[in-house]
Amino acid sequence: MAQTPIRYRSTRGGATGLTFEQAVFEGLAPDGGLMVPDVVPDASAKWKSWKDLSFADLAFEIASLYCAEDEIPHADLKGLMTKSYQGFTHPEVVPSVKVGDMYIMELFHGPTFAFKDVALQALGNIYEYFLKRNGRRLTVLGATSGDTGSAAIYGLRGKENVECFILFPEGRVSKIQQQQMTSVLDDNVHCVAVQGTFDDCQDIVKALFGELDFKKQYGLGAVNSINWARIMLQITYYFYTYYKLCPTCDSTVSFSVPTGNFGDILAGYYAKRMGLPVKHLIVATNSNDILDRFFKTGDYDKHPVAQTCSPSMDIGISSNFERYLFYLFNEDPKRLAEAMEDFKKTGKLSVTKAELTRARADFGSGCAPEAAIKETIKTWDTKHGYCLDPHTACGVYAVNELRGPLKWEKEAPNMVVLGTAHPAKFGDCVQDAIGRPPEMPPALGAVQHAQTRFEVLPNNADRVRAHVEMTVGRRERQANEGVCICFGIRKMLSG
């Protein structure tokens, strides 16, 4: 029996019945909501048969559940996944390393040494596939707290019919993160340092996606985890890591996930809903702790963003949390829309005691203070000879904080901490912690003194919109002039 194709809808109810392609290009829904599948596919009858697959083949199996074959034929989808992971430096793509009584899922073997490569290499290829087939153009507009930007740029650089604009908060990303982004000089890559925080960058992106005429005219597309495909593609490494730890598929695994925007751990939540035997999902934050506060109190209240040594998590509002609230509110788009509108006005959102109880059943949480991050890095270097980046250190700290409440050593000993970035991307913090710089991969070291190109703009959506309009207009004129020159040369040669 043929599988009924999954369709997509907005968490706020303003869009329904979208295809996978439409959901990917939509990014933020017209009503301000996020796209979710109308049903989470049940993989309980087949997930054990995937245990020996390569990472790319497993990515295909999972993606094929969310993308109908009449949209991307299976042979094409499999080819896209194979192409996406050929550039990773480890044969397993995402290996797991036993350190002490935990495992580190090393997600930093891609081209930018951060977990976001796993999804964004594939998303870039999916975008290119649809664009070539439909003859359309795409203007990607994304905000980054550090790693999304470089991963998106490396996934989209040089792609035909794509202009890529990445906003990052000036002075609030690591030096290497900024160098990685701004040293990519491909003509279709445009970096903008915004004079504000990551939340300001994210607000600008959402505001421009909300200008529906502008969105349509310039074909705006998203690379942030507001894009459903980002979440879908990250589901793969939860299944893959499970198989490496439990090859007989007869146990449970727990995951501690450093997170600011809630996208990475949301993928784990979807994996669990699909049937993967996940015991605990631990939300690990730094001192920007809106998520930890929610799971402890039921209050999701916005606080000012603090600058920390784990800058990719310096986020005050977690965009993907809306997707989880959609399920927590029993898929009631009306209630969610009202709650998010109130939150936009007041910066506050609360749930009932019953809903908090359910949320705590889905997730544990822990918050790593600034001093604890560096102490964790130092301890692991001394005790285990393993160098953590500051974000992964938050995941380790949260696990240790919850040893008592979760009793995980006895009841669920397979504890995995997601290693979200290579420590060399945050060399200053790591050196402060261990007294020496972390080992620098040659490819990462090469960008440190490379030529860069970027614009600095104020925290103002109008200024960013004008920059996009001016840049896209200039690029289109250059493309048209190139066509005219080529036509003239052909005419001269034929004459």
Side-chain angles (χ1 to χ4, degrees):
M1 182 181 293
Q3 177 184 328
T4 302
I6 283 181
R7 291 293 182 258
Y8 293 85
R9 52 181 166 163
S10 167
T11 51
R12 302 187 191 183
T16 58
L18 276 68
T19 64
F20 175 75
E21 180 179 359
Q22 289 170 330
V24 168
F25 278 95
E26 193 67 44
L28 197 67
D31 61 358
L34 303 181
M35 305 310 300
V36 291
D38 56 12
V39 63
V40 177
D42 181 0
S44 57
K46 61 178 70 175
W47 70 274
K48 291 183 180 181
S49 68
W50 299 338
K51 65 185 181 67
D52 296 319
L53 295 178
S54 68
F55 190 90
D57 287 346
L58 180 59
F60 158 73
E61 292 291 345
I62 290 171
S64 67
L65 297 179
Y66 290 95
C67 175
E69 188 172 14
D70 61 358
E71 291 195 73
I72 303 181
H74 283 175
D76 291 354
L77 183 59
K78 197 165 190 175
L80 290 172
M81 295 301 103
T82 299
K83 177 182 177 183
S84 298
Y85 302 113
Q86 287 175 339
F88 282 65
T89 57
H90 197 284
E92 292 184 5
V93 181
V94 177
S96 293
V97 178
K98 182 75 179 290
V99 186
D101 57 1
M102 305 179 205
Y103 293 85
I104 301 296
M105 184 200 300
E106 293 189 342
L107 290 161
F108 46 76
H109 294 281
T112 72
F113 302 91
F115 81 93
K116 295 175 182 181
D117 287 324
V118 178
L120 285 168
Q121 284 293 303
L123 178 58
N125 289 326
I126 289 170
Y127 267 143
E128 186 176 46
Y129 178 87
F130 284 134
L131 292 171
K132 283 184 176 179
R133 188 170 72 182
N134 299 332
R136 61 192 287 184
R137 293 187 62 83
L138 177 70
T139 302
V140 165
L141 181 62
T144 185
S145 54
D147 287 331
T148 290
S150 54
I153 287 166
Y154 277 65
L156 295 169
R157 63 187 302 180
K159 297 287 189 187
E160 293 182 25
N161 300 321
V162 177
E163 301 295 332
C164 179
F165 291 84
I166 297 296
L167 314 184
F168 65 92
E170 184 182 29
R172 287 176 174 261
V173 299
S174 77
K175 295 174 184 176
I176 284 187
Q177 285 177 316
Q178 180 163 331
Q179 282 291 123
Q180 275 190 305
M181 290 185 282
T182 60
S183 63
V184 177
L185 304 180
D186 296 62
D187 291 340
N188 73 322
V189 172
H190 318 285
C191 293
V192 177
V194 173
Q195 295 169 322
T197 66
F198 168 74
D199 280 24
D200 295 325
C201 297
Q202 192 161 244
D203 285 345
I204 290 172
V205 169
K206 289 181 177 180
L208 295 181
F209 268 87
E211 296 181 12
L212 300 185
D213 290 342
F214 176 77
K215 179 181 179 182
K216 181 178 180 180
Q217 180 179 354
Y218 287 89
L220 291 192
V223 289
N224 286 81
S225 51
I226 60 174
N227 191 312
W228 163 252
R230 278 276 306 273
I231 307 301
M232 176 194 78
L233 292 160
Q234 289 171 188
I235 293 171
T236 305
Y237 46 71
Y238 286 92
F239 278 87
Y240 187 78
T241 299
Y242 175 91
Y243 298 134
K244 293 302 177 184
L245 270 60
C246 305
T248 55
C249 302
D250 60 354
S251 186
T252 61
V253 175
S254 297
F255 298 92
S256 177
V257 188
T259 189
N261 227 8
F262 205 74
D264 207 6
I265 196 164
L266 185 69
Y269 173 74
Y270 276 108
K272 186 175 182 178
R273 287 187 60 132
M274 290 172 66
L276 189 69
V278 175
K279 180 70 173 178
H280 301 297
L281 286 169
I282 299 173
V283 175
T285 77
N286 62 15
S287 54
N288 295 291
D289 61 349
I290 187 171
L291 293 170
D292 181 54
R293 284 184 280 113
F294 171 82
F295 287 105
K296 284 183 167 61
T297 68
D299 295 326
Y300 184 75
D301 294 351
K302 181 180 179 181
H303 286 187
V305 177
Q307 191 165 2
T308 75
C309 68
S310 47
S312 297
M313 292 158 57
D314 289 351
I315 296 171
I317 301 175
S318 303
S319 288
N320 266 291
F321 194 59
E322 177 169 338
R323 284 187 170 110
Y324 176 65
L325 287 175
F326 176 72
Y327 297 111
L328 189 61
F329 291 170
N330 296 315
E331 304 185 20
D332 181 348
K334 184 175 183 295
R335 184 184 169 200
L336 181 64
E338 291 172 351
M340 296 310 297
E341 185 60 33
D342 287 344
F343 179 76
K344 184 177 180 180
K345 294 175 183 176
T346 67
K348 296 179 181 296
L349 186 155
S350 296
V351 299
T352 66
K353 288 183 179 180
E355 288 165 342
L356 178 58
T357 299
R358 285 173 50 208
R360 286 174 171 169
D362 290 331
F363 298 96
S365 73
C367 167
E370 190 76 349
I373 295 173
K374 293 182 181 180
E375 185 60 33
T376 301
I377 295 171
K378 180 181 179 180
T379 299
W380 268 48
D381 179 66
T382 302
K383 187 175 181 180
H384 303 298
Y386 190 93
C387 190
L388 299 167
D389 91 282
H391 307 82
T392 307
C394 292
V396 170
Y397 181 86
V399 170
N400 286 328
E401 192 179 28
L402 294 172
R403 280 181 186 271
L406 296 183
K407 301 177 182 177
W408 65 264
E409 298 111 308
K410 293 182 179 180
E411 296 181 4
N414 294 317
M415 177 62 73
V416 179
V417 178
L418 272 63
T420 53
H422 194 286
K425 296 194 75 170
F426 307 94
D428 290 345
C429 172
V430 173
Q431 184 163 353
D432 286 347
I434 66 176
R436 67 182 189 280
E439 183 178 346
M440 178 68 70
L444 197 54
V447 308
Q448 289 188 94
H449 305 292
Q451 179 184 350
T452 62
R453 186 187 75 236
F454 64 98
E455 299 287 334
V456 179
L457 292 177
N459 174 24
N460 183 285
D462 292 337
R463 290 291 297 276
V464 173
R465 185 199 313 105
H467 177 66
V468 171
E469 292 170 340
M470 179 188 70
T471 304
V472 172
R474 172 176 53 79
R475 291 274 292 147
E476 288 178 344
R477 288 192 299 273
Q478 289 173 342
N480 291 335
E481 288 168 1
V483 170
C484 291
I485 291 171
C486 290
F487 178 76
I489 291 172
R490 285 199 301 271
K491 189 172 183 180
M492 288 170 61
L493 290 174
S494 63

